[in-house]
Amino acid sequence: MKRQSAMAAVLAGAWLVLVLAGAVVLYRQALDRLRADLDGAADAVAGLVSQRIAQHDAHLTSMAALAQRSDRILLDEIGQVAGAIRAFYPRIEGVDLIGWENTSSQAGWRTLVSSRRPGLPPLEPQHLGPVIATAQPGRPVSTVPEPGQSRYLLVKRLPPAVGRLALVLTVDLAELVAADELPMGTRLALRLDGAAARVDHGAAAPEKGLHPPAMAAVRMLENAGQPIMLRLSRHPGWSDLALGRPLALLVLVSLALLALAALLAVQRRRAVQARGEAERARQAGRLSKQEATLAHAARVNAMGEMASGIAHELNQPLTALLSQSQAALRLAGLPAAEPDAMRRVLESNVQQARRAADILARMRAYVGADPPAAQACDLGEVAADMVALMGADLSARGVRLETDVTVPPPVAWVDRVQAGQVMHNLIRNAADALAAVPEERRRIVLRLGQADGMARIVVDDDGPGVASDMLAHVFEPFRSDKEDGMGLGLAICESIVHHFDGSISAANRPEGGARFTVLLPLAGGRRTSQEPMA
C-alpha cells in the first residue's frame, strides 16, 4: 500500500510539473504573439503617419510652386489653396504665408496670407526669425511654439528669387492618427521636440496585482523636417492572452498522459508480480521436488532400520506356515484322513500367508516414490501394529511401552503406513532418549485420543528431555543431539504430518522427559475414491 501511495504521489507530482511547465510555455508564447501583433501594428501606424506628414511636404511644395508661377505673388490663389487644405485636412490647423523685410524688428514682419481654424490664435511671424535664419530654401523645418502642447509649425522658406517669403503649416499631432485607426486596447504617443500628443483606443489602465507585463513598440520616422517619434503601447490583461482553450487542452492531454503512465506502471507492477509469483512457484516446485526426493531417500534409509523389525514380523507367519504345513503333511500320511483337521490347518496357513503379504505390501508402499494417498485410518490398529512390531526391540532395551487409547480409537484421514512411520520414529526416538536413564525408569507412554476436532497422538518418555537450545530446531533436517543420529527422523515426521494437513510439536514435560504431540485431521465423512457411494 505504501509503495502504491508513493507511486501515486510521484505520478501526481510529475503531472503537476508537466502542467506548470506547459502553462509557462503557453504564457510565453501568448506574450510573444501579442508583442508580434503590437510590432506589426506599430509598423502600420508608422506607415500611416509617414504618409500623412509627407502630405504636409507636398502641400508646401504645391503652394511654393504657385507662388513662383508668375512674376507676382498670387496671394488670392494661395489663400484659396490654403483654405482648401485646411478644410480637407483637419490636422492642419493653419496655413500662413509670411514675409519679412528686417528680421531684427517686429515691424519688419508681415503676414501675407492666413487661413486658420477659428479660435486659433494668429501666427506671430516675428518669433520665427531664428528658424527662418537657419532654414535652407525649399527644405521644410519644424519648430514648436509652445512646448507641452500637441501643436507644431512646419516652415518652408521660399527661394530668394521669389522674395523673403515662407510658408507655415500649423499641425496638430493629436490629429495625425484617429483613435479607431489603432488596434483596440492600445495607446499611441507622438512626440516632436517639445510637442507631444496621445491617442487612446480603449487602452485600459494597468491592473492591480499580478498581471501580464506592459509592452511597447517605438518607431522613429525618417523625415528630416518632421522627426516624429511614435510609441505604441498596451497593458494586456489575462483575457488578451487567450489561454483558456490551450490550458484546457494541456490539462486534458496531460491527464491522458498521466492515465497512460499509471496504466503502464500498473502493468509493469503486475508483470513484476507475475514474474515474482512464477519464480516463487518455480522455487516452491523445486523445493517440493527436493523434499519429496529427501523424503524418499529418508524412507529408503529408514527401511534398513525397519528391516529387522519387519523380518521379525515376517518370521512369525513364516514359522507358523512351516509348522502347520508339516502338520498337514503328517495328517495327509495317516491312514485315516481327518478332513476337518486338514481344513483348519490350511485355513491357518492362508491367514498367515495373507498377513505376510500385507506386511510386504506396506513395505513396498513405504519405499515407493509415489506420494501416499490419504484414507480413513484407525490409529488404534496402527498403534497395535507398532507395538507388535517394536515390542521385541524395546524389550531388548529394557523399555516399557504403555498405551492409552480411547474407545473407540480415533480414525484419522491419513495414510496408514505413513501414520505408522510417525509413531515408529517417535517411539524409537523416545527409546533412544531412555538409554541413559536407569532401566526401571525406562517408560514410554503412547496416548491416542481427540482434541479440538483433531486426532491426537502423544508420545511421552521419562528421559532427560530436549536441550533448551535444541528444542526450537528438533524438526530441522540433519540436526540431532545424538552422536550417531542423522537428524532425519523428526524431519520426516513433520513432513508426513504436514502433508496430511496436520501438525506436530515438541515440549519438555514439567515432571521431566519429553512430549511429542501429533494432530491429524479426523476422517469424519470423508471417503476414499475406492469406497462405494451410499
Side-chain angles (χ1 to χ4, degrees):
M1 183 62 71
K2 290 183 178 179
R3 187 174 182 180
Q4 293 178 352
S5 300
M7 180 62 71
V10 170
L11 291 177
W15 174 79
L16 183 59
V17 170
L18 178 62
V19 171
L20 290 178
V24 170
V25 172
L26 292 175
Y27 173 73
R28 294 181 66 84
Q29 289 180 345
L31 288 181
D32 292 342
R33 175 175 53 79
L34 289 180
R35 288 194 182 95
D37 292 344
L38 188 65
D39 285 339
D43 291 338
V45 172
L48 181 63
V49 174
S50 297
Q51 180 182 3
R52 289 175 179 174
I53 62 177
Q55 291 175 347
H56 301 162
D57 294 336
H59 295 326
L60 292 175
T61 301
S62 62
M63 287 190 295
L66 185 61
Q68 301 173 62
R69 195 174 61 177
S70 64
D71 54 353
R72 65 183 181 87
I73 304 301
L74 302 177
L75 298 179
D76 293 338
E77 287 79 359
I78 294 175
Q80 293 175 0
V81 173
I85 293 173
R86 196 178 59 78
F88 283 102
Y89 301 96
R91 64 179 181 277
I92 301 177
E93 295 181 323
V95 180
D96 295 274
L97 175 63
I98 63 174
W100 64 94
E101 295 296 336
N102 183 5
T103 57
S104 59
S105 65
Q106 182 176 358
W109 292 89
R110 64 184 186 279
T111 301
L112 301 177
V113 175
S114 180
S115 176
R116 303 182 70 82
R117 177 177 60 80
L120 184 68
L123 180 68
E124 297 178 354
Q126 64 274 15
H127 295 161
L128 297 178
V131 177
I132 291 176
T134 58
Q136 296 181 4
R139 303 189 64 178
V141 295
S142 59
T143 182
V144 177
E146 297 181 22
Q149 293 188 357
S150 61
R151 191 172 295 115
Y152 73 94
L153 303 179
L154 183 62
V155 181
K156 185 173 183 178
R157 184 176 179 177
L158 298 183
V162 180
R164 295 178 178 180
L165 300 175
L167 289 168
V168 180
L169 297 183
T170 303
V171 181
D172 189 358
L173 279 174
E175 298 294 332
L176 272 175
V177 179
D180 57 0
E181 293 176 314
L182 300 176
M184 179 59 74
T186 59
R187 172 176 295 166
L188 176 65
L190 297 166
R191 180 176 296 277
L192 189 153
D193 293 336
R198 190 178 70 180
V199 181
D200 289 342
H201 189 195
E207 297 179 357
K208 295 183 179 178
L210 186 63
H211 55 82
M215 53 187 66
V218 179
R219 298 292 185 271
M220 190 68 194
L221 302 184
E222 297 178 356
N223 187 297
Q226 302 168 82
I228 296 175
M229 185 274 289
L230 62 88
R231 181 176 184 272
L232 187 64
S233 63
R234 73 177 306 168
H235 292 277
W238 291 109
S239 59
D240 298 324
L241 299 179
L243 292 176
R245 181 173 297 178
L247 282 177
L249 182 60
L250 173 64
V251 171
L252 292 178
V253 171
S254 61
L255 285 177
L257 292 176
L258 178 64
L260 179 60
L263 178 61
L264 292 176
V266 170
Q267 289 181 345
R268 181 179 180 183
R269 181 170 57 82
R270 289 179 177 175
V272 172
Q273 290 179 347
R275 287 198 296 271
E277 291 175 357
E279 179 63 21
R280 285 191 293 273
R282 188 181 67 80
Q283 292 290 343
R286 184 176 61 82
L287 292 177
S288 178
K289 185 176 180 180
Q290 290 180 350
E291 184 178 10
T293 302
L294 177 62
H296 180 221
R299 289 197 299 272
V300 172
N301 292 332
M303 185 188 69
E305 299 178 9
M306 296 181 64
S308 58
I310 295 174
H312 174 75
E313 184 70 10
L314 288 175
N315 187 52
Q316 292 180 357
L318 291 176
T319 302
L321 281 172
L322 177 61
S323 61
Q324 291 176 161
S325 297
Q326 291 173 344
L329 288 175
R330 285 195 297 273
L331 287 174
L334 292 177
E338 298 182 8
D340 292 340
M342 182 67 72
R343 185 172 53 255
R344 287 194 297 273
V345 170
L346 294 177
E347 287 176 350
S348 179
N349 281 354
V350 170
Q351 182 180 3
Q352 294 301 327
R354 287 177 176 172
R355 182 182 176 189
D358 289 342
I359 294 172
L360 293 176
R362 291 177 189 176
M363 188 173 69
R364 284 198 301 271
Y366 181 75
V367 301
D370 295 333
Q375 59 183 346
C377 174
D378 188 332
L379 295 181
E381 295 179 357
V382 176
D385 289 343
M386 291 301 106
V387 170
L389 180 64
M390 305 181 69
D393 180 63
L394 295 176
S395 296
R397 297 187 183 196
V399 177
R400 291 178 289 113
L401 176 60
E402 300 176 1
T403 59
D404 182 5
V405 181
T406 59
V407 179
V411 178
W413 190 251
V414 67
D415 177 74
R416 180 184 180 89
V417 176
Q418 297 290 324
Q421 178 64 38
V422 172
M423 290 187 191
H424 177 274
N425 285 0
L426 294 179
I427 293 172
R428 188 188 58 187
N429 276 0
D432 293 341
L434 293 172
V437 303
E439 184 172 349
E440 62 274 15
R441 289 175 51 194
R442 297 177 185 174
R443 185 175 68 102
I444 299 174
V445 179
L446 173 62
R447 294 186 176 88
L448 301 180
Q450 297 184 13
D452 299 330
M454 302 283 283
R456 186 175 66 175
I457 303 171
V458 178
V459 178
D460 290 343
D461 66 63
D462 294 332
V466 182
S468 57
D469 59 341
M470 186 65 187
L471 191 59
H473 308 285
V474 292
F475 296 108
E476 295 181 6
F478 307 109
R479 294 198 64 164
S480 174
D481 55 357
K482 294 184 292 187
E483 295 181 357
D484 56 346
M486 296 179 61
L488 292 175
L490 292 177
I492 292 173
C493 290
E494 184 185 43
S495 176
I496 292 173
V497 171
H498 287 176
H499 179 75
F500 294 104
D501 299 329
S503 64
I504 185 171
S505 60
N508 286 322
R509 301 165 59 205
E511 61 271 27
R515 169 173 291 174
F516 287 84
T517 303
V518 175
L519 296 177
L520 293 170
L522 289 170
R526 300 180 182 180
R527 63 181 68 252
T528 61
S529 58
Q530 290 78 17
E531 291 177 346
M533 297 294 293

